[in-house]
DNA sequence: CACTCGATTAACT
DNA sequence: GTTAATCGAGTGA
């Protein structure tokens, strides 16, 4: 029987343990990312709108390329269904969904989301003045949650959340019935020029065609 | 040990 | 368009 949280279905471990990480990166579009603040119970939610696939040993852009393993990327080797959070450029925490089986270090980087709930907390965490009390979604600034570093900041995620189970209680990914987008645009992954031209030639970044909630690198 | 370089962002010119 | 911020990992002495 499926686990249901606040009317939305919690994605089961079997969802994350599929071997096709590119397909999983597509299926995550439209799902709801939920983060609950310990203590206060404050809920922040957003709809996932941009993902990137990193596919293990043979992917030069993947942290686990050629079997690389360190305290930082250890969580990539876990069975799918947990968070891999690491610090990038010494400043930003980036959130990945670990996929595939234990020992197969695949992951999907979450790069952008559409804010749904906990808007005031998102503004505060991002250091943006919340003076649009009754403004609709149309005027919410993109920089609230677009870009992988901005997303984790808006949701209040820290390095200590590395390894969190994506079935909750701290982090959960939910299916609220929104279908996977019919038209999905693709493009090269961002910031991986160091991994070489072969990696840059792969269109392993995904977003729903036409959405506003994408990072700056969408054409 | 001493470097270099990122799965980035915001604040500059 | 350019650059500083800031730190762990990877590389080479």
């Amino acid at each position: 029987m499926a686990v249901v949280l606040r009317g939305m279905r919690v994605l089961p471990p079997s969802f994350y343990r599929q071997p096709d990480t590119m397909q999983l990166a597509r299926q995550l579009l439209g799902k709801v990312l939920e983060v609950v603040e310990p203590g206060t119970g404050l809920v922040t939610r957003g709809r996932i709108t941009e993902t990137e696939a990193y596919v293990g040993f043979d992917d030069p852009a993947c942290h686990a390329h050629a079997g690389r393993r360190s305290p930082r990327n250890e969580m990539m080797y876990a069975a799918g269904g947990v968070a891999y959070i690491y610090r990038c450029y010494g400043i930003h925490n980036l959130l990945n969904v670990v996929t595939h089986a234990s020992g197969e270090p695949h992951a999907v980087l979450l790069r952008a989301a559409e804010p749904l709930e906990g808007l005031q907390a998102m503004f505060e965490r991002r250091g943006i003045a919340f003076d649009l009390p009754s403004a609709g979604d149309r005027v919410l600034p993109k920089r609230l949650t677009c870009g992988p570093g901005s997303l984790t900041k808006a949701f209040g995620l820290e390095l200590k959340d590395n390894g969190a189970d994506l079935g909750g209680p701290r982090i959960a990914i939910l299916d609220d019935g929104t279908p996977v987008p019919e038209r999905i645009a693709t493009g090269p992954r961002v910031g991986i020029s160091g991994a070489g031209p072969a990696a840059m030639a792969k269109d392993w970044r995904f977003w729903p065609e036409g959405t506003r909630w994408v990072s700056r690198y969408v054409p």
Side-chain angles (χ1 to χ4, degrees), chain A residues 7-218:
Chain A
M8 296 187 274
R9 172 176 157 267
V10 179
L11 295 175
S14 59
F15 173 84
Y16 301 102
R17 292 174 190 175
Q18 306 172 62
D20 188 341
T21 299
M22 265 77 83
Q23 186 188 323
L24 234 147
R26 293 169 172 272
Q27 291 175 341
L28 282 168
L29 297 176
K31 300 296 185 290
V32 174
L33 171 65
E34 174 180 279
V35 175
V36 179
E37 202 168 77
T40 66
L42 175 66
V43 173
T44 306
R45 272 194 213 128
R47 193 175 307 285
I48 297 167
T49 48
E50 188 179 340
T51 60
E52 268 179 10
Y54 289 87
V55 296
F57 304 125
D58 299 330
D59 176 4
C62 180
H63 287 169
H65 175 233
R68 285 188 176 152
R69 197 161 183 162
S70 69
R72 179 179 73 153
N73 72 1
E74 180 62 30
M75 204 52 67
M76 289 194 86
Y77 287 83
V82 297
Y84 166 43
I85 300 176
Y86 73 98
R87 197 182 302 277
C88 185
Y89 292 98
I91 304 170
H92 304 105
N93 303 325
L94 270 49
L95 168 64
N96 294 258
V97 171
V98 175
T99 71
H100 210 311
S102 175
E104 292 287 344
H106 290 218
V108 175
L109 172 68
L110 302 189
R111 295 188 52 87
E114 173 190 354
L116 295 177
E117 224 169 295
L119 295 182
Q120 184 155 5
M122 290 188 187
F123 275 87
E124 283 170 9
R125 293 174 185 137
R126 295 283 292 113
I128 303 173
F130 185 64
D131 54 359
L132 311 167
S134 54
D137 284 353
R138 274 166 48 78
V139 283
L140 288 175
K142 271 184 61 171
R143 62 194 178 107
L144 211 49
T145 50
C146 293
S150 304
L151 185 148
T152 53
K153 198 164 180 200
F155 280 81
L157 292 173
E158 311 279 355
L159 284 185
K160 65 184 176 190
D161 297 311
N162 183 40
D165 194 302
L166 297 178
R170 169 72 168 138
I171 307 177
I173 300 183
L174 311 168
D175 180 356
D176 69 347
T178 300
V180 174
E182 209 161 288
R183 303 180 71 87
I184 296 175
T186 67
R189 293 172 292 176
V190 175
I192 58 156
S193 55
M200 294 190 66
K202 308 287 190 188
D203 282 344
W204 287 346
R205 183 158 51 98
F206 308 93
W207 64 95
E209 198 172 293
T211 184
R212 166 178 183 246
W213 297 102
V214 286
S215 67
R216 66 174 76 171
Y217 304 100
V218 170

